[in-house]
Amino acid sequence: MTRAIVVDGPGEHRLVRRGTEAPGRDEVRVRVAAAGICMSDREVYDGHRDADYVRYPVVPGHEWSGTVEAVGEGVDPALVGRKTVAEGFRACGVCERCREGDTNLCTSGYDETGFTRPGAFADHVTVPARLLHLLPDDADLRAAALLEPAAVVAAAVRAGEPRPGERIAVVGAGTLGLLAVQLLAAHSPALLTAIDPRQSRGRQALRFGAGEALAPAEAAERAGRYDLVVETAGAPSTAQDACALARRGGRVVLTGMFAPGATGIDPVALSLAQLTVRSVFGASSAAWAAAVRAFGLGLLDPAPLITHEYPLERFGDAIALVGSGDPKAGKVLLRP
């Protein structure tokens, strides 16, 4: 038997018990160790996610780690017992974007574990074996559940191309921002500034490798100073704020997911400063590989971000905490 949280529609969920299915051809069944809850999951639960990016009823859970329990036909049996994470996007692998390595931009149609396919808010999750990224035998699976947001951050860092000795700012010190601080600190910046209105997050950024932590009003006085600005907050004004922080000829990477109505980037300022602006949507296979490699080397340690852990039976309490504004709430995990 296996248990799973099923969200039938906005605000409606139930814990179901059913038989454990054998994985199909080229698939693996993974015993879930931990699954993170993020704002995308809250949007699914509240009914605020774009209809093109969710399919009800759904078992959410796109941030997870576990151990391979069974393999289907065509899959190496040696995978059984291996600790793993897996990419969420079910990319086709044959379209032009996939062929160029941008598997997160697959043109065959949006399809992602936890949104259009059953996810990991369950005892087990079944995924194509080709999406696995294996972990060291001694990996902390609790921390590894955060490798999905870490892969998004790795995509942002790769896009920003940080160089040793540069001045770098990270706008936002939530989960993405703090992971970005860790990865960027490994590139030996001359200055690494974390920007967030919450003092507690600023203090955590300092522990993660930032050289300083500033409130947004303080950071505004640094306009035009930074070689690279990585935006992670997705707040209404942070895209514009990030561009203002960059020096002339600097680089900006937008990682946060913005909602309609966010402040636009001034095209006059953009052209006069000759900025390079990149955006990030999810993570490609290469970004996943980079995050898993950094985790294995000890350059990335997501464990300190975890503040709450709940069993499946308390999913309602867990999802209510995410996005509640509770200052003590960091990363929330479900532990089947």
Side-chain angles (χ1 to χ4, degrees):
M1 294 292 290
T2 189
R3 302 169 303 154
I5 295 294
V6 176
V7 176
D8 292 304
E12 302 175 10
H13 77 275
R14 53 197 168 95
L15 179 64
V16 302
R17 291 173 172 82
R18 54 197 177 198
T20 305
E21 296 182 359
R25 182 175 181 81
D26 298 327
E27 292 183 331
V28 298
R29 186 179 72 234
V30 178
R31 175 76 190 192
V32 178
I37 305 177
C38 82
M39 281 304 297
S40 295
D41 300 307
R42 180 67 188 261
E43 289 172 359
V44 168
Y45 189 70
D46 289 343
H48 296 158
R49 189 171 176 86
D50 190 297
D52 291 335
Y53 293 90
V54 64
R55 187 180 303 148
Y56 297 105
V58 63
V59 178
H62 61 287
E63 305 177 4
W64 58 270
S65 63
T67 303
V68 178
E69 189 174 82
V71 301
E73 184 181 353
V75 181
D76 186 353
L79 289 176
V80 174
R82 292 297 306 271
K83 293 180 177 180
T84 194
V85 291
E87 298 173 33
F89 289 129
R90 306 292 183 96
C92 72
V94 297
C95 72
E96 187 175 2
R97 297 280 73 76
C98 285
R99 292 292 192 186
E100 292 185 353
D102 295 323
T103 52
N104 55 313
L105 303 179
C106 176
T107 59
S108 67
Y110 174 75
D111 195 9
E112 185 176 4
T113 301
F115 297 105
T116 62
R117 302 288 186 104
F121 290 174
D123 290 322
H124 302 90
V125 62
T126 298
V127 297
R130 62 185 172 82
L131 300 181
L132 296 183
H133 288 264
L134 300 178
L135 304 174
D137 292 339
D138 61 351
D140 176 4
L141 288 178
R142 177 174 169 270
L146 276 68
L147 281 174
E148 192 276 342
V152 175
V153 168
V157 172
R158 285 164 58 87
E161 299 180 340
R163 301 155 197 158
E166 288 194 316
R167 296 159 299 182
I168 302 176
V170 176
V171 178
T175 297
L176 292 179
L178 292 171
L179 292 172
V181 166
Q182 283 195 340
L183 287 181
L184 291 165
H187 288 80
S188 302
L191 174 65
L192 180 55
T193 304
I195 300 167
D196 197 283
R198 299 164 292 185
Q199 291 186 354
S200 61
R201 294 303 179 96
R203 290 191 294 269
Q204 195 163 18
L206 295 175
R207 293 193 292 270
F208 272 41
E212 62 179 2
L214 302 178
E218 296 173 308
E221 300 175 5
R222 304 283 186 87
R225 179 171 181 182
Y226 294 94
D227 301 291
L228 170 63
V229 182
V230 178
E231 187 284 329
T232 67
S237 68
T238 49
Q240 186 180 74
D241 295 342
C243 290
L245 289 167
R247 64 164 173 83
R248 298 192 76 189
R251 309 181 311 280
V252 177
V253 182
L254 305 177
T255 312
M257 294 300 291
F258 296 93
T263 303
I265 299 171
D266 181 357
V268 175
L270 189 67
S271 60
L272 290 176
Q274 194 177 302
L275 299 181
T276 298
V277 180
R278 294 281 304 274
S279 61
V280 169
F281 175 72
S284 67
S285 296
W288 269 93
V292 171
R293 183 166 56 249
F295 179 68
L297 291 171
L299 299 175
L300 187 66
D301 179 17
L305 296 175
I306 302 166
T307 59
H308 295 77
E309 301 176 52
Y310 292 91
L312 289 179
E313 291 83 357
R314 293 189 61 192
F315 169 76
D317 295 328
I319 198 71
L321 183 60
V322 174
S324 67
D326 185 337
K328 295 180 180 179
K331 197 64 188 179
V332 179
L333 297 184
L334 287 180
R335 298 292 301 272

